[in-house]
Every structure is written in C-alpha cells, then in structure tokens.
Amino acid sequence: MQTAEGDPFGTESIRTPVLTAWRDSPTRFTEDTNTERDLRVGGYRDRLFVELAQNAADAAKLGGRPGTLRVSLVDGELRVANTGAPLDAPGVASLASLRASSKGAGLVGQFGVGFAAVLTVTDEPRVVSRPGGIRFSAAQTRAEAGREGEVPVLRLPWPTEPDEPPLPSGFDTEVRLPLRSDVDGPALLAELDSAAEDLLLALPWLNRVELDGRVWLRSEVAGALVITAPDGKTRRWLTHGSLDIDCVWAVQVLASGEPIPLESSVLHAPTPTDERLSLPARLIAAIPIEPSRRRVLPGPGVRPALVAAAAAYPGLVRKMHAEYRPALVPAATFPLSEVDTTLREMITARLREDAWLPAAEGDDLTGGRARVLSAESPKLVKLLAEAVPGLIALSGPKVQRALAPVGVEPISLAQVIEQITGIAREPSWWRELYDQLLPLLEAHTVSADELGGLPVPLVDGRTLPGPRGSLLFGAADDLLELLAEAGIGGLRLVHPDAAHPLLERLGAKQAEARDLLESPALRDAVERGAEGSDVVPLAGAVLRLAYEAPVDWLGSLVLPAEHGWRRAEELVLPSSPLLKIFDADGIGEDAPLDVLDADFAEDWPADVLTGAGVLDTFVLQDDEDEPEVRDLDLVADDRWPDALRLLAARPNTWRVLARPDSRTARWLAVHAELAGRAPAEWRMPSATTLAGLYDPVPDVDLPDEVLIAAGVRTTLGITDADDVAELMDRLADASREVSPGLAARAHTVLADAEFADDYVPSRVRALDGSVCDAEDAVVLDTPWPLGVLPASRVVAALPGAERAARLADLLDLPLAAEKVAEVRVDSEGELIPWRELAAVVVVADLLGLELPEGGVHMHEELTVAHGDASVAVPWWYDGGLHAADTSEGLARALAWAMDRWDDRHTITAFLDEPTAESLHA
C-alpha cells in the first residue's frame, strides 16, 4: 500500500472496491464500460473545453478570486491550466465516478462526470495540482482488470509518476491530455479560439483565457461587461441579474448602447446546452439539467427557474435606452424547443404586464396598455401625445412589428384621424398637424386614402371630416357666386389659417373651373338631376364651367328635350346623322333617346354639348376591360350600311370595330343586317375557298375592310358554340354544293375548335362532297378502310388520329377503324422483308429514306372479307401490312410503314419508274 506522500489522494482506496466489484460481477464491468462510452460519444462529445473551463471557474470561485485558464500544446499533450482552489480528495473521487459529482452549491463543474469529455481526445489523462496529481490509463486498466478491448478508463485512478513535470508558474491545477494519433491538436486550439468569448461571458469567475500566448480578458466598464480579444478588439455586453440569484440575461451592445439581438442561441446553464432558444438575449441560469449538461432535467425545479428568468427579463429591457427597447422583444417566430416555447410565453406575458415602454407623455407603459403609431414620426407623436391616450414615444412599422407579440396596439394614421375627429383645436394646430403628415405622404409611408378623413377647419367654424371636396382660397369668388345662383349647396371653403399643400394632395381644390366641376357637391347636384325652373340655371352653370375645363362625366346633367327633361347622355343633337340611322321607335318621349331642345342647342357650341354627353354620332362606353360602341341596337334594319359607314368614319369607333376579337365586331357579325342577312352569313366575293358553304355578299356600297370588320367571312372561323352548330347545319344542307376539299377543311375547323355543343346533326357531309344520314356514316381515322367503305359514307378532316377522334366525338359517329375491325384478309400472301424488295430498295435510295424494319405480306391479288363479300383492295393493315402486287398497293403499305403517308403518290411514281431521271421528270 502506497504512503500518503506517494498517493496523496488515496487512489488505491478507490481502485480496490472497483476491481472487486468487477471481479464479483462481470455485468458491473460492462455497465461501467457502456456508461463511460455513452458519456464520451454522447453527452460530452464536443464539450471538452466547456467542461474544463467550468471546472476552472469553480476552482476560482472556491479560491475567492477571478481565475485564469491557460491552454497549450506541449510535446503532443493538450494542457489546460487554471488558478484557484486545487484538486482535493473528494474531487479525485468525483473524477473516478461515472455517476456522481462532488460540486458544491453554486458550482457548475468541479470535476463531475463532465470530465469524461477528455476521453474524446486521449486514453491517458492526468490532472496535476498543488497537493499532487492523478492519472488514468486505458492500458493499465486493461492489465489490472485482466480484460481486452474497451475498458472504463476513468474508474481506476493512479498517482502520477515521480518524474511528472511541475505545474506552470502561477497556476494551481493543470489537466494534461496526451492526444491520440487521430486527434488534430491545432484544430482543438482553433475550437477554443472561437469559444473563448462565450466561456468568459458564461462563467463570471473566469476573467482571463490564454491560448498559446493569445489572451482574452473580461472586465466591467460603465455598467457593461467588456470582452477584449487578443487583437485588442472589444465587445460590450449589457447584463441584468447574477448567478447568485440563479439568472443572468445578457445582450451584446454597441458603444452607442444599441443592442445586437441574437437571432438564435442556446440555453446556458451556465455553460451551453442543446436547448435551442430564439430569444434576442442570452440566458445564463441555474436551471436543472441532465448529467450530460445537454438537456433540461424534467422535474419540479424547472418551471420556477424559468418563471424567475422571465420575471428578470424586463429589468434587462429597462436598462436599454428607450429607442432600443423594442429590439429585445422576442420576435413572433416558431419556437426552437420546448424550453424556448415556455420562456417565450412567460417573457411575453411579463412584457405585457410590466411597465417598460416609454410613453409619449407620462410614465412608462405596459405592453398591454400601450399604443404605437404605425408611421415613423417623432414630432407627430409629440403633437398627438395629449390627443391619443396610451401612445408611446416610439413609432414606425419596425417598432410596430417588434412590439406586436407583447400586445402593443398598433394605431394607424387612419385610426388617429378617426380619434381626433371632433376634437376642438385652433386652425393653426391643424396646420401644424398637416406639416407633420405631408412628409409621410411624400415618402409613401401613408397613402392618400388613409388620410382621406383628415379633419379640415372651415371658415364658418365647422370642421369638415376630410379634405376631399373642400375648396381653398383663390380667385374663385365669381364662380362660387355663379354656382350659388344655381342652388348648389355644400361647397366648402377651408379656413385660411389652416390652408396647407397637404389638403390639395388629399383632394381639396382651388376654386377654379375644373376643381368646381369635380367637387362632390356639384357632381351630386348633377346626379340628382334637378327639374323645373332649376334645370336651366344649373345646366348653364355647369356648361359654362365645362367650356373652360371640359370633363367626361356630365352625362347625368339634365337638359331640356323635345319631350320634357332628359340626361345629356340620353339626348341627340338636332343636327345629328343618327336621327336618320336610328329606328323611329328609338327616339321619342318614352324611347331610350330624345332630341335636345333646338333653342337650347343654339345657345351652346356643339363640342360643349357633346362634351357633356349629348350624342352627335356613335360613342363608346366602357364595358369591363374593353370599350364598346353603344346604341347599336337602335339602328333600323334597313340602315345598317349607313351605320357601318358612320362607324368607319370616326377613328375611335373604327379602332374598336377593327380590333382583333372585338366584342363590338362579334355583335355586329350576328345582329347587324346586310341584304337581309347577318354579316357572318355572307362571304367576301374573293373568298372563293368558301364557295358552297357561304354565298358572296351582295354589293351594299361598303369598302371591303368595313365588310370584313363587320363580320363578312374570309375564312372558316369559329368563335363560339353557336358557330359550331351553324357550320354543321351548313355542311348538312344537301342543297349546298360543297367540294370535298372544303368539306375536309370545314371538318378540320370543327375538330380543332375549342367550343363544343350538345347539338348533333342528323345528316353529315361525306368525303365525296355528298350528304348522308349520320347513322350510316363513320369518321375516317386511318386510310385503309377506304378500300371497303364507300366515300359517300365517310366523313373526313385533314389527317390526324387525335383530330379524327375529336370530330367523331363532336358528330357522335364511330371511327372507320372500328367499323372495319372485323374485316380480315382472305387471300394468300407471302411475308417479304422490305430489304428483299429490289424496287423498294431503289426507291428508298432515290428518295433518301431509311427502310423500316420488318416486311410486307405480298398478294398477287389482295382481297378482304367484308360482310358476305370478298373485296379487292390495294393494301390493308390488320396488325401486319398487306399489299397487292401493284405499285399503288406497295407504295401505300411502304408509306404507312415509314410514317410518310403524304409521300405515297411520289413512292407510287418511283415504283412505276425507279430511275434517277424520275427525280427531275
């Protein structure tokens, strides 16, 4: 047994019972091995410096003086030295225990199970202190335990060797870790280099960290914690609380006092855990955590600790200058952990209840009783302090967003305006208010709509709720007097002491012609349409203003008509050409339109009257997003050529008529009348490709472009479902002579149309141009059925299987391929590969085509069984290709096999004469 001098910590007394337990219970050895492995690769991975630093901090606290931590690499060893209380026997026992720690009250490390972190870099750790030293060894543990492989290194301590180097001068303890070959020593130092500041912030009993000659310092300056890096740069932290009361809140600040809030961090208890937080400040608190120091330890002690931390948080916020306080409100983001959720809820609740927000007037306010102006304007806040209770001294959207989670009510300028509406203030106060609002409007911080209800003091002592419609002083006396004679009330003048450019921006107007015309009072009078003796004065006043400043909204102005009084937009000038175009029932006392009184018309220029809405020609009206020509439904049936000439003569109506996809043009195509028919029922004489389906339009003395714009056809076109039905009816009309080509093109248009209709014709136009009953017809989808089906029963569009399917669906007809599905070849044939047909090889070479794979069944005479008859055909396809021994049959089979159906006639010609000269014949 070693003496106390050789074994000052009594390590043999620790080893003996452990070895006895291992011998008596192999299971205990396995448990210790597994436990140490869990600590090494699980709870304490990546925590080497954190664990050693907190041991150093505890030693400094026990020693009663802030301590120093020094880290260095010496001969392949990582050495971590510290000042403070030295290692003692209970500390050694703690190091050798996987389940217990000797730390005292207020200590965070002091050689607890966290020392297992050293095993991530070494198998032979040593701790040297003033009273002596101890070492651990994986190799010696294997020898003592009689085991191979993995062993629990930290269960068996030995005293250090007599030749152990002494402690570095000025230090009380040093942990020495011979690094395994797979451990990168410089990388470990770099890890500490990045963590040094956090260690000093988290461990208040450490005030100095040395790393290979580089020094970090912790100090207190003017109430802020200052961390000085080796390069001399400093970072300031504002803190509140202390670990003596189990809680410290810290946030980094600039020299100006402005905080640098954290976006995310972890709970420090007091060293980093794995509990992620989304709080703007760092929390260092004595919260119960698991032995691994990674997670909060569930139990009754957690919530009181979190409650205390939340209660202390407003104290940190109040230490901030008032303008920076919102930055410490937890943002409304997703919590990062269960602890984060609880803390955020508690802190938010405290910030709702505690007074910490600077009031615009008076004492600090709680979050739940405060209001923040959404627009940023300190002067405006000061001006509104008395008028808006609960307003805080800070303002702007950034502040508003920051304070939303703690219940601060945002108040927009629109709400401010609503609140101050009705208060009594001098006109000069209102002008000062306008001074503050104008820059906000110009910066687009507030919109004109939000300020629409801004109170405006009037010269008569009233306060108008909103500038729009008010009139500012100007050279308007005469016009105001004129409008007064017309009996228009509600024209309002702004008090001169409150006149301000902002009011003009918000709708107040100088008293000039256009401004008066646009005033709500005058427009309301026009809309009401006064009658009797008031009509002429009002009409005269408005038209006089319109003469100076034309506007486009006077259609509601009531004017004298031949039959009483009518709105301007319902009147026609006595000289208008429309009077000769419209139907007689369209103009009169009970008709949609009437004629303007002739005497009244003579008193005013025609352009003033038409500017007010009186009709002289066709005019446009807005309909959704496309202007349309109005009153076309009033045109007499026999006056459409004149109406179209008038439409074409005016640029604005002609643009609408000639525009592609014009709704006006589509309406004319169906509802106008040329020689007794709608324009869409005629074709242009030059559109000979439509001959048979459509008749040429008679001469109605209109230019071609006007006829075309009105809907006379030049092509086969479909714009709606009605066009589909109309075209099918024309094709089914046996009295019409329709060429096969036109029929195919028409069927192609029908198949490609985007419109469908439930209408199914009873008769259809066949491939040969004839008309047949639909029940006897099929739609051609492949070419070979034409060998057995008569053209008079086949309906065809231009080639395309998908197009044929759409046409069959539209006409409710079967497909030709389905019709001949049961037809079978009944003649003898021989399968010959294409490459063995000499003529085919020559043709492919001449045309530069690649022969397909496979071959064709050649027949001296190809016949198929169709019904009870055997029918000779040039070619057929029934899953394989068949061809009669003719140029025509072979060419069609070859063209189909090569997917070159359009080249079948060329191939036929070359099969008849397979020479190079045929290319140029």
Side-chain angles (χ1 to χ4, degrees):
M1 187 172 184
Q2 290 185 329
T3 65
E5 181 179 353
D7 187 9
F9 299 117
T11 59
E12 184 174 0
S13 65
I14 298 175
R15 293 195 305 275
T16 299
V18 172
L19 289 169
T20 300
W22 287 352
R23 285 193 299 270
D24 294 344
S25 175
T27 301
R28 177 62 181 273
F29 177 84
T30 302
E31 289 176 352
D32 286 350
T33 302
N34 292 340
T35 299
E36 188 172 277
R37 182 193 306 116
D38 289 345
L39 294 173
R40 182 182 72 250
V41 303
Y44 289 95
R45 70 186 188 282
D46 306 326
R47 295 180 65 88
L48 174 64
F49 290 120
V50 171
E51 296 300 330
L52 295 180
Q54 66 187 22
N55 286 341
D58 287 343
K61 185 172 183 178
L62 290 172
R65 296 179 59 187
T68 297
L69 179 73
R70 175 187 291 176
V71 181
S72 57
L73 277 175
V74 179
D75 298 330
E77 286 188 349
L78 180 70
R79 295 188 176 182
V80 183
N82 64 268
T83 61
L87 182 66
D88 57 15
V92 172
S94 177
L95 288 175
S97 172
L98 297 179
R99 301 171 180 80
S101 173
S102 68
K103 68 182 68 172
L107 302 183
V108 293
Q110 196 53 24
F111 299 119
V113 292
F115 189 71
V118 301
L119 298 179
T120 61
V121 298
T122 186
D123 294 330
E124 308 285 333
R126 308 191 307 282
V127 181
V128 179
S129 192
R130 281 191 285 108
I134 63 167
R135 61 185 177 87
F136 298 92
S137 170
Q140 193 164 351
T141 297
R142 293 188 189 98
E144 290 285 342
R147 305 285 183 130
E148 297 294 332
E150 186 178 4
V151 295
V153 176
L154 299 183
R155 293 292 280 128
L156 300 181
W158 285 272
T160 53
E161 299 293 346
D163 60 351
E164 181 72 35
L167 287 167
S169 176
F171 290 88
D172 299 296
T173 302
E174 185 171 61
V175 178
R176 297 172 176 174
L177 308 175
L179 298 179
R180 290 195 302 270
S181 60
D182 61 339
V183 177
D184 186 343
L188 284 177
L189 296 184
E191 179 184 333
L192 177 59
D193 188 78
S194 63
E197 180 175 6
D198 286 343
L199 292 175
L200 288 174
L201 184 63
L203 301 169
W205 281 96
L206 278 184
N207 66 354
R208 182 182 179 94
V209 173
E210 301 176 5
L211 174 61
D212 197 21
R214 293 162 52 78
V215 178
W216 283 261
L217 297 174
R218 168 191 169 112
S219 59
E220 299 281 343
V221 178
L225 172 62
V226 177
I227 304 295
T228 303
D231 59 4
K233 294 182 179 179
T234 61
R235 288 209 282 186
R236 299 165 61 89
W237 294 81
L238 187 66
T239 62
H240 178 71
S242 89
L243 284 181
D244 293 335
I245 60 170
D246 297 336
C247 173
V248 174
W249 285 102
V251 64
Q252 188 181 346
V253 294
L254 301 176
S256 63
E258 180 180 358
I260 306 175
L262 297 172
E263 293 184 1
S264 65
S265 62
V266 296
L267 172 67
H268 289 65
T271 51
T273 69
D274 283 352
E275 297 288 356
R276 299 178 64 203
L277 301 179
S278 61
L279 303 174
R282 175 172 297 175
L283 173 60
I284 305 170
I287 294 176
I289 57 174
E290 295 176 346
S292 68
R293 307 195 61 75
R294 291 190 175 274
R295 296 290 180 189
V296 166
L297 181 67
V302 174
R303 187 168 184 83
L306 295 181
V307 169
Y313 193 82
L316 175 69
V317 179
R318 281 190 291 267
K319 285 186 175 181
M320 284 285 170
H321 188 277
E323 64 180 302
Y324 301 136
R325 293 178 186 177
L328 293 189
V329 175
T333 59
F334 288 107
L336 302 180
S337 65
E338 185 176 346
V339 172
D340 191 31
T341 299
T342 303
L343 263 178
R344 284 162 57 89
E345 291 175 353
M346 291 179 175
I347 289 172
T348 300
R350 291 308 299 251
L351 293 178
R352 286 175 181 268
E353 300 165 1
D354 286 18
W356 59 278
L357 281 164
E361 185 174 82
D363 298 330
D364 283 353
L365 297 167
T366 67
R369 297 182 58 189
R371 307 170 79 184
V372 57
L373 184 65
S374 58
E376 185 174 0
S377 178
K379 292 183 179 179
L380 182 58
V381 169
K382 185 176 180 181
L383 185 65
L384 295 172
E386 182 184 351
V388 182
L391 197 63
I392 65 172
L394 309 175
S395 61
K398 183 178 180 180
V399 174
Q400 175 186 326
R401 289 191 298 270
L403 299 181
V406 295
V408 177
E409 177 189 354
I411 179 168
S412 66
L413 287 174
Q415 291 172 307
V416 167
I417 290 170
E418 181 179 353
Q419 186 156 343
I420 64 176
T421 297
I423 67 172
R425 292 291 187 276
E426 292 296 324
S428 58
W429 186 91
W430 293 105
R431 181 178 178 85
E432 186 178 354
L433 177 67
Y434 306 154
D435 276 339
Q436 303 307 320
L437 292 176
L438 181 58
L440 298 178
L441 179 64
E442 292 175 338
H444 304 291
T445 302
V446 63
S447 69
D449 289 342
E450 290 179 275
L451 299 179
L454 186 65
V456 179
L458 303 180
V459 293
D460 61 6
R462 293 179 299 145
T463 299
L464 181 68
R468 188 168 300 278
S470 63
L471 301 172
L472 298 170
F473 279 117
D477 293 346
D478 294 342
L479 290 177
L480 290 174
E481 183 179 349
L482 175 63
L483 291 171
E485 291 179 6
I488 301 173
L491 292 178
R492 296 159 291 185
L493 298 176
V494 178
H495 194 287
D497 291 344
H500 193 279
L502 175 67
L503 301 181
E504 291 189 71
R505 296 282 296 272
L506 299 178
K509 300 294 182 180
Q510 296 290 339
E512 298 177 354
R514 180 173 300 279
D515 304 308
L516 290 175
L517 280 171
E518 293 177 354
S519 68
L522 188 145
R523 296 191 68 162
D524 183 61
V526 171
E527 290 295 331
R528 287 200 311 269
E531 297 185 359
S533 59
D534 292 335
V535 168
V536 173
L538 176 62
V542 172
L543 291 177
R544 178 175 170 181
L545 292 171
Y547 180 80
E548 297 181 18
V551 292
D552 59 1
W553 56 266
L554 295 178
S556 300
L557 181 64
V558 173
L559 300 176
E562 288 185 355
H563 302 89
W565 310 95
R566 297 289 285 270
R567 295 158 63 97
E569 61 189 4
E570 298 172 358
L571 291 170
V572 182
L573 288 177
S575 59
S576 171
L578 293 175
L579 296 177
K580 297 180 180 180
I581 293 176
F582 286 163
D583 189 274
D585 293 338
I587 299 178
E589 184 173 3
D590 297 322
L593 300 177
D594 200 353
V595 181
L596 181 67
D597 178 79
D599 292 336
F600 188 88
E602 289 180 359
D603 293 337
W604 296 95
D607 59 340
V608 173
L609 295 172
T610 55
V614 180
L615 299 178
D616 184 39
T617 185
F618 286 110
V619 296
L620 303 179
Q621 64 182 10
D622 289 334
D623 186 2
E624 298 177 358
D625 58 346
E626 179 182 331
E628 295 187 48
V629 180
R630 55 167 278 196
D631 300 323
L632 291 175
D633 57 328
L634 301 182
V635 176
D637 291 343
D638 59 348
R639 305 301 294 178
W640 273 109
D642 293 331
L644 291 174
R645 275 189 286 274
L646 187 58
L647 287 170
R650 304 299 173 100
N652 61 336
T653 53
W654 173 245
R655 280 195 298 270
V656 171
L657 183 60
R659 186 168 59 188
D661 298 324
S662 164
R663 285 202 293 265
T664 295
R666 292 200 299 270
W667 188 93
L668 289 172
V670 176
H671 297 94
E673 189 170 310
L674 299 176
R677 297 186 195 174
E681 297 182 29
W682 298 109
R683 67 171 173 85
M684 294 298 295
S686 60
T688 56
T689 57
L690 303 182
L693 275 180
Y694 297 95
D695 300 326
V697 62
D699 184 5
V700 290
D701 193 25
L702 287 173
D704 287 356
E705 62 269 19
V706 176
L707 292 172
I708 293 171
V712 178
R713 293 182 180 272
T714 58
T715 60
L716 284 170
I718 290 179
T719 59
D720 55 32
D722 290 338
D723 285 350
V724 173
E726 193 267 346
L727 182 53
M728 288 195 295
D729 283 344
R730 286 178 177 270
L731 287 168
D733 185 355
S735 66
R736 293 185 175 276
E737 294 185 7
V738 179
S739 68
L742 178 56
R745 293 196 304 276
H747 285 131
T748 300
V749 170
L750 286 171
D752 293 345
E754 298 179 356
F755 306 96
D757 197 285
D758 293 336
Y759 170 69
V760 176
S762 60
R763 295 173 66 78
V764 292
R765 184 72 60 167
L767 184 61
D768 63 354
S770 64
V771 175
C772 67
D773 290 338
E775 61 184 15
D776 298 328
V778 297
V779 171
L780 186 65
D781 56 335
T782 54
W784 60 86
L786 288 176
V788 298
L789 298 177
S792 61
R793 293 294 181 267
V794 176
V795 176
L798 295 182
E802 292 184 3
R803 180 179 289 139
R806 292 196 299 270
L807 182 61
D809 183 63
L810 179 68
L811 300 178
D812 196 23
L813 298 179
L815 293 168
E818 298 172 355
K819 193 72 174 179
V820 300
E822 301 300 325
V823 174
R824 294 291 180 267
V825 174
D826 63 358
S827 58
E828 293 294 330
E830 178 184 358
L831 177 61
I832 302 176
W834 291 112
R835 301 184 186 280
E836 295 181 9
L837 294 169
V840 167
V841 172
V842 172
V843 169
D845 180 58
L846 288 171
L847 294 178
L849 302 177
E850 184 176 349
L851 285 175
E853 297 296 327
V856 60
H857 295 82
M858 295 297 298
H859 302 253
E860 286 190 19
E861 181 181 9
L862 175 60
T863 59
V864 296
H866 182 225
D868 296 331
S870 182
V871 181
V873 295
W875 75 294
W876 197 259
Y877 179 80
D878 59 359
L881 283 168
H882 300 264
D885 192 8
T886 65
S887 297
E888 177 187 7
L890 186 57
R892 278 160 170 73
L894 179 59
W896 187 261
M898 293 192 298
D899 196 22
R900 300 290 292 254
W901 184 246
D902 290 344
D903 294 333
R904 62 192 182 280
H905 299 300
T906 302
I907 296 173
T908 300
F910 277 103
L911 287 174
D912 288 335
E913 188 178 352
T915 64
E917 288 79 3
S918 299
L919 288 171
H920 307 286

